[in-house]
Amino acid sequence: MLNQLRYLFSQDVGLDLGTATTIIYVRDKGITLRQASAVAIEKDSGHFIAIGNEALELLGREPEGIEVILPVRDGVIHNFEITCRMLEHFFAKALAGSFGHPSLLVGVPAGTTVIERRAIYEAASYLDISEVFLIDEPLAAAVGAGLDIHQPHGSMVLDIGGGTADISVISLAGTVYAYSMPLAGDAMDQAIIDYLRHEHAFLIGQRTANRIKHCLGSAPTESNSYASKRSCLTIGGRAISSGMPATLELTGEDIQKALLPLLKKIARAVTDTLSDLPPEIVNDIRDSGVTLTGGGSLLKNLAAYLNEETELSMKRAKEPLECVVLGLQTLVDHMDTIRNRQGRDIHASVPLSVTSRARAA
């Protein structure tokens, strides 16, 4: 009787385990946690000093003996043990007051390998989860963006997150094509760091690069070159020549130059995708355009730039940062349907091509 009550009151959960941010959605409760995917530990003892946003605040400012670890890179688990402990902490906060063993739906980058997906399964086993379902993040993002993915019509989603940019083509609630590349928010930050080091002999950290990206970052288009020259920002860092603290004044044009090689690779990946698709789906995409999701899609003028480079209509989702978790929310709210179909061919009959594994006995 007690086990029945626990199952009755247990919560189905959606997890967006992002390179930059972890978001947890709990059925009937909404989003209960949004924290940075970061952990600060003592190097000698391995003791956790801070987790989440508090740990991220220490990045680049760690005292001796303290290390800030970002355990998720390029959208997949890089440090398994730290990720498990981080998720254990997050789930304890997100599911406070819940009973039973919840079912978990996790978004994963489209290009993840079997080994990388297995790592997510194993990490979930530390969380007292009854069953685990995985779904490609671009598919979840398409649902969250409001696309009608059940129609026999090809739709392309370009989901630019913190660690990966995922291109996905969807038709009839299934993935026709999926490709993942490490050309997203973190790569943009690194491109800015590298540019300033090579062109200005100036060193900055990741957090400063991220601030520059948000303040000055934009994609180059025919209409915004003049405006980019006028926008300026003074930053602090270290001069390579002297090793001393220094300041540097940057313009939007500088950051456009830093980001341009990366943006060209993204545009090329989109056009290359078309050559791998059936002609009918290519025509569908030319008619309906490409939906941009993820935090990276917020880069100024990105849609206009990609439109010029690919000759495809680009439209950013209404809430690009929330698309994946909104899609997970929709799916979590229909977990009963997914669970009821688990006895049949999981790949063919479960909506949205969700793959699953029941918790080991």
Side-chain angles (χ1 to χ4, degrees):
M1 180 64 178
L2 180 60
N3 288 334
Q4 291 177 338
L5 287 174
R6 284 179 174 172
Y7 181 80
L8 179 63
F9 291 104
S10 65
Q11 303 288 335
D12 292 327
V13 179
L15 171 63
D16 181 6
L17 179 59
T19 301
T21 306
T22 295
I23 304 175
I24 295 177
Y25 168 82
V26 181
R27 185 175 181 177
D28 298 328
K29 289 186 178 181
I31 295 175
T32 58
L33 182 133
R34 187 193 304 268
Q35 290 281 325
S37 303
V39 173
I41 66 169
E42 286 184 349
K43 292 181 180 178
D44 292 338
S45 66
H47 177 69
F48 277 35
I49 301 299
I51 303 174
N53 295 339
E54 293 181 2
L56 188 64
E57 288 296 323
L58 298 175
L59 185 63
R61 301 185 177 93
E62 306 96 318
E64 186 176 355
I66 303 297
E67 181 182 9
V68 176
I69 299 174
L70 306 178
V72 182
R73 298 182 187 176
D74 298 337
V76 297
I77 294 175
H78 181 76
N79 187 313
F80 181 78
E81 181 181 354
I82 296 296
T83 301
C84 291
R85 295 176 66 184
M86 180 184 75
L87 288 178
E88 197 171 27
H89 174 81
F90 286 163
F91 268 69
K93 295 180 65 174
L95 294 174
S98 299
F99 297 93
H101 307 292
S103 298
L104 178 63
L105 181 62
V106 188
V108 295
T112 48
T113 66
V114 173
I115 294 175
E116 290 164 344
R117 290 178 180 244
R118 174 61 60 182
I120 295 175
Y121 283 141
E122 297 304 322
S125 68
Y126 283 79
L127 302 174
D128 205 18
I129 298 296
S130 63
E131 53 190 349
V132 183
F133 299 84
L134 300 186
I135 181 172
D136 288 344
E137 284 180 354
L139 200 53
V143 176
L147 299 183
D148 188 355
I149 64 172
H150 292 279
Q151 295 298 317
H153 179 91
S155 300
M156 180 183 287
V157 176
L158 174 56
D159 181 36
I160 308 176
T164 62
D166 296 333
I167 300 174
S168 184
V169 179
I170 300 158
S171 180
L172 286 172
T175 302
V176 177
Y177 176 94
Y179 178 65
S180 183
M181 48 193 169
L183 303 173
D186 288 351
M188 293 180 189
D189 296 342
Q190 189 60 48
I192 294 171
I193 293 172
D194 294 342
Y195 176 83
L196 295 185
R197 183 173 65 249
H198 294 145
E199 299 297 325
H200 296 279
F202 196 79
L203 296 178
I204 60 171
Q206 184 179 353
R207 293 184 58 135
T208 300
N210 187 266
R211 182 167 69 91
I212 294 170
K213 179 181 66 179
H214 284 98
C215 293
L216 293 181
S218 67
T221 63
E222 295 179 358
S223 60
N224 77 336
S225 58
Y226 178 68
S228 66
K229 293 179 182 179
R230 296 178 56 188
S231 57
C232 297
L233 179 69
T234 300
I235 62 166
R238 191 171 79 223
I240 293 179
S241 58
S242 65
M244 298 298 290
T247 60
L248 179 68
E249 186 175 89
L250 296 174
T251 66
E253 187 177 25
D254 287 319
I255 308 309
Q256 285 185 351
K257 292 178 181 178
L259 298 179
L260 183 58
L262 183 149
L263 298 179
K264 283 186 174 294
K265 290 179 181 178
I266 293 176
R268 178 63 183 271
V270 171
T271 54
D272 286 349
T273 297
L274 299 179
S275 64
D276 294 329
L277 297 173
E280 291 80 2
I281 290 184
V282 173
N283 288 332
D284 291 341
I285 294 171
R286 291 198 181 279
D287 290 341
S288 60
V290 180
T291 301
L292 302 178
T293 65
S297 70
L298 293 171
L299 185 72
K300 296 174 186 175
N301 303 307
L302 179 61
Y305 168 80
L306 291 175
N307 178 272
E308 291 178 2
E309 292 292 310
T310 66
E311 299 183 354
L312 293 173
S313 173
M314 299 281 168
K315 52 184 183 297
R316 191 170 64 200
K318 186 177 180 181
E319 299 181 69
L321 279 170
E322 308 289 339
C323 281
V324 171
V325 73
L326 288 174
L328 292 175
Q329 173 181 335
T330 299
L331 295 169
V332 165
D333 290 342
H334 293 86
M335 284 290 283
D336 292 338
T337 302
I338 296 175
R339 192 177 291 110
N340 290 338
R341 296 187 181 188
Q342 194 172 2
R344 295 182 291 182
D345 181 356
I346 201 72
H347 297 284
S349 59
V350 172
L352 310 178
S353 299
V354 178
T355 59
S356 76
R357 175 185 70 91
R359 185 187 180 207

